Amino acid sequence: MGTTPEVVICGAGAAGLTLAIELARRGVAFRLVEQREHPFHGSRGKGIQPRSQEVFEDMGILDRLFAVGGPYPVSRIHRADGSSMDTAVVEGAPATPAEPYRQPLMVPQFLTEAVMRDRLAELGHQVEFGHGLIGFEQDANGVTVRLATPTGEQTLQARYLVGADGGRSFVRQALDIGFPGKTLGVRAVVADIVLKGLPRDAWHSFNEDDMARRISLCPLMGTALFQLQAPVPLDGDVDLSVDGLADMVRMRTGRDDLAVLDVCWASAYRMNARLADRYRDGRVFLIGDAAHTHPPTGGQGLNTSAQDAYNLGWKLAAVLKGAPQALLDTYEEERRPIAASMLGLATTLLAQAQRGDNRRGRDVQQLDLAYPESSLTLPADARSGRIAPGSRAPDAPLQGAGGQRVRLFDVLRGTHWTLLGYACDRSNAPSRAGLRVHVIGPAGDLHDVEGHFVEAYGVQPGEWLLIRPDGYVAAVVDTSRIEILEGHFGHYSSR
Ligand SMILES: Cc1cc2nc3c(=O)[nH]c(=O)nc-3n(C[C@H](O)[C@H](O)[C@H](O)COP(=O)(O)OP(=O)(O)OC[C@H]3O[C@@H](n4cnc5c(N)ncnc54)[C@H](O)[C@@H]3O)c2cc1C
């Protein structure tokens, strides 16, 4: 804690914690400051989408999240006549060799953040609670940050400041970065309650087609709680006490056999869809809800926030170790368009939900998010059928040359870039610090025994794939163009 930080992260929600883990994995000195005295205890974002599961696998927390959370139960629509109908919340899709996670995982946000704090502790860091950012100034060399702490005001010097400080971001407002968008004319209650009388095998909904009386009660995996969600009038007080929520449950479900025994957390909030005009001002960055806020429909908020941090983390670490500043420009270039489309998706899903349609498609899973236009992506040459540069790198079960089973994700996991040659001569590959080289093929160190690698990547013998530390394909080239790859990697990696 006492060391001079290279980065100050303001806010220890899902975005700030993810960034902290990414910097800690790379040995960057940072401080993670949080104005709250204690961790936030509300369930809020509870769905971890398949792409985030892959990201969390790389960060070393996925198995723990599976252990504390669980699968989504069926959706049970209760009708006025007392009958009910069960449907799947998520369109069923089995895991494949290329996509090992295809179902959202339910983990209340306070448990996800607790798992992240544990991982951070393993890496030798912790959140500094009770430390609020109250001011900052930047110049060409760094950022001076002022903190209010339990022992008085503290001043810190750092190379970069990251605002991971949520929808009302102090950092964004201090930089006078516009946050255009709209309030969506929907106000809702979300609450974590102890509820007696409903089985925990389903996500219960009542009055689906009536916005004024709708209520949903979802068992929160990993807890004995239910998450209550209900639209409420735009104006006026909402009674969030045990008695107030008990009345709401009774009136909206029409059931006297349900009892609200306790309210652990409750909030009445207005839904917004807003996107920051810029994600960067000199040495200061915005990530997560500080850069974009959205309705909770489709469970995109936490996922997009964590993936912002995952994108920025390796780039900040590389630049601090000597990679060119241009790498940092690719953060906004890549992530702002993703947030823009995610805002459109969440708003469309909200409109559908208002009509009683809660179906979710593949787009909420975030597996198809890609960076084809990024300056980090080397455009493909003309051959079709292969994986498009900028795409997510799929998984593939392989066999090591010694006969052991190995997943491609095992090979990619870590902080390095990866160069994969398919039936290539290894001696053609560049040799550089931070670049791991594998050759897949009969004479290589990895064998594609079942053909899953070729199926997922569509590569030809003699082709090389360059994969970024965050698991996206930066380039696909033939051996005759390998020097292009070397130049590309050399330009964006640390010296
Ligand atoms: C009521 C509600 C319900 C939601 N439901 C869902 C859902 O169902 N699904 C979903 O995916 N998402 C949901 N979300 C959104 C999801 O919770 C957010 O997208 C996610 O928390 C964003 O993470 P973050 O780290 O960017 O911001 P936050 O989680 O807001 O964390 C920001 C942190 O910064 C701290 N901070 C603020 N200012 C300062 C300062 N000056 N100094 C130091 N620290 C500071 C705050 O105390 C906070 O801990 C919901 C959000 C709300 C509010």
Side-chain angles (χ1 to χ4, degrees), residues 10-11 13-15 34-35 44-45 109 133 164-165 190 269 288-289 299 301-302:
C10 171
E34 166 57 53
Q35 68 182 6
R44 299 203 289 169
Q109 190 164 333
L133 180 75
D165 50 349
V190 56
Y269 67 104
D289 274 17
L302 181 149

Side-chain angles (χ1 to χ4, degrees), residues 20-367:
I21 292 170
E22 288 306 281
L23 295 181
R25 288 208 295 160
R26 293 168 169 87
V28 172
F30 66 87
R31 297 218 4 213
L32 173 55
V33 296
E34 166 57 53
Q35 68 182 6
R36 288 178 189 279
E37 300 286 331
H38 305 286
F40 186 78
H41 65 283
S43 58
R44 299 203 289 169
K46 63 183 180 303
I48 299 185
Q49 300 293 350
R51 177 57 189 153
S52 297
Q53 292 173 37
E54 294 179 353
V55 166
F56 291 161
E57 184 181 4
D58 181 44
M59 287 164 55
I61 58 174
L62 183 62
D63 288 336
R64 290 177 225 188
L65 290 169
F66 271 110
V68 297
Y72 271 70
V74 293
S75 158
R76 183 163 302 152
I77 314 261
H78 295 262
R79 302 198 187 94
D81 64 4
S83 66
S84 65
M85 183 183 71
D86 285 359
T87 52
V89 175
V90 197
E91 279 168 23
T96 67
E99 294 177 344
Y101 310 109
R102 289 300 310 275
Q103 300 292 331
L105 170 67
M106 191 197 293
V107 189
Q109 190 164 333
F110 60 86
L111 289 180
T112 299
E113 292 177 2
V115 166
M116 288 177 166
R117 285 193 300 274
D118 284 350
R119 178 77 182 114
L120 201 54
E122 287 173 1
L123 294 162
H125 295 267
Q126 52 188 288
V127 179
E128 294 179 75
F129 286 103
H131 284 55
L133 180 75
I134 52 172
F136 62 91
E137 277 124 40
Q138 59 172 317
D139 60 25
N141 300 316
V143 190
T144 306
V145 166
R146 282 191 300 121
L147 301 175
T149 81
T151 52
E153 201 173 307
Q154 247 184 50
T155 302
L156 288 180
Q157 308 284 337
R159 303 272 300 279
Y160 296 98
L161 168 67
V162 180
D165 50 349
R168 298 200 179 116
S169 173
F170 169 82
V171 174
R172 186 188 67 236
Q173 293 179 44
L175 292 169
D176 206 16
I177 293 179
F179 201 40
K182 52 187 178 184
T183 44
L184 298 169
V186 180
R187 187 172 174 227
V189 167
V190 56
D192 299 343
I193 59 173
V194 179
L195 177 76
K196 208 176 95 193
L198 272 184
R200 294 185 65 84
D201 63 344
W203 181 342
H204 305 270
S205 304
F206 298 82
N207 302 310
E208 270 297 281
D209 48 3
D210 179 355
M211 274 296 278
R213 295 179 56 239
R214 170 186 299 181
I215 190 165
S216 90
L217 296 156
C218 179
L220 284 171
M221 297 299 151
T223 76
L225 302 169
F226 277 83
Q227 187 188 57
L228 177 159
Q229 288 181 287
V232 289
L234 279 177
D235 296 307
D237 290 338
V238 183
D239 185 353
L240 299 174
S241 67
V242 173
D243 288 345
L245 292 182
D247 281 348
M248 179 188 274
V249 168
R250 196 166 39 248
M251 281 162 55
R252 295 197 182 198
T253 61
R255 300 225 343 217
D256 289 329
D257 58 324
L258 305 184
V260 176
L261 303 179
D262 199 4
V263 177
C264 298
W265 167 74
S267 157
Y269 67 104
R270 282 168 204 273
M271 295 187 194
N272 276 277
R274 297 184 180 278
L275 180 61
D277 282 336
R278 289 174 290 132
Y279 277 23
R280 179 183 185 181
D281 186 306
R283 295 183 163 272
V284 186
F285 293 84
L286 298 177
I287 60 174
D289 274 17
H292 42 77
T293 52
H294 22 75
T297 33
Q300 302 292 286
L302 181 149
N303 293 275
T304 306
S305 298
Q307 288 178 51
D308 285 346
Y310 188 63
N311 184 289
L312 181 60
W314 69 268
K315 295 174 181 175
L316 262 181
V319 168
L320 284 164
K321 289 182 182 146
Q325 283 283 330
L327 185 59
L328 291 176
D329 295 334
T330 67
Y331 164 62
E332 173 175 328
E333 185 190 330
E334 294 184 342
R335 294 303 299 172
R336 196 168 172 279
I338 299 269
S341 68
M342 180 273 296
L343 288 176
L345 172 65
T347 310
T348 306
L349 291 174
L350 177 65
Q352 277 178 22
Q354 285 170 315
R355 299 193 299 270
D357 176 358
N358 286 316
R359 282 171 304 163
R360 303 276 182 272
R362 183 176 162 91
D363 40 3
V364 300
Q365 303 188 336
Q366 305 198 340
L367 288 167

